Amino acid sequence: MAVIAVWKCDRDGAMFENKKDADEHDSMLELAANITQLLEQEIPSLNEEHGETIGLILAQRREVLARACKGKPNLLLEESEAAAQPAASKVDNPTQPDSTAMVENIKAAANS
């Protein structure tokens, strides 16, 4: 029997074959949690689920967001448009929530 080393992220239980990927994932989840906490402090009426979704979206796109903040705001729209094109042809994954649909739901709830 072979022994296979894996790294498990204690925040969500995700498993990784190398420490670098596990650390990167954990760092992204920590950023998402901190963003969520900030949003909930600043917007008390924000639904917890929506706050977590927004936090994850911003943390997952942190590199593009950082470049946009440094003077290239159009990158956010380009990223959004590029993500929307493959989304039209992808098969829904029932275990992974569709962040685009969640963002649209959040926008609709905020406008209500």
Side-chain angles (χ1 to χ4, degrees):
M1 176 191 295
V3 176
I4 300 172
V6 294
W7 283 261
K8 182 178 180 180
C9 179
D10 62 349
R11 294 180 192 271
D12 68 352
M15 305 286 278
F16 297 89
E17 292 182 2
N18 64 60
K19 186 176 183 333
K20 180 183 174 195
D21 290 344
D23 286 343
E24 185 176 308
H25 181 75
D26 186 63
S27 176
M28 186 271 302
L29 291 177
E30 181 178 9
L31 177 60
N34 291 344
I35 291 170
T36 299
Q37 185 175 357
L38 174 68
L39 291 171
E40 290 173 348
Q41 288 172 354
E42 295 293 322
I43 310 169
S45 63
L46 182 65
N47 175 311
E48 182 179 348
E49 182 181 339
H50 292 162
E52 289 176 1
T53 301
I54 293 168
L56 278 172
I57 290 169
L58 294 176
Q60 289 169 344
R61 296 189 171 119
R62 66 186 176 269
E63 293 164 1
V64 171
L65 187 59
R67 288 187 290 166
C69 290
K70 291 180 181 179
K72 297 183 180 181
N74 60 326
L75 290 176
L76 290 175
L77 298 177
E78 292 171 6
E79 174 83 8
S80 179
E81 291 170 1
Q85 292 173 352
S89 62
K90 75 175 183 179
V91 176
D92 289 333
N93 182 349
T95 62
Q96 183 70 21
D98 181 8
S99 61
T100 305
M102 287 183 182
V103 170
E104 293 303 319
N105 291 339
I106 292 167
K107 287 178 184 175
N111 291 331
S112 301

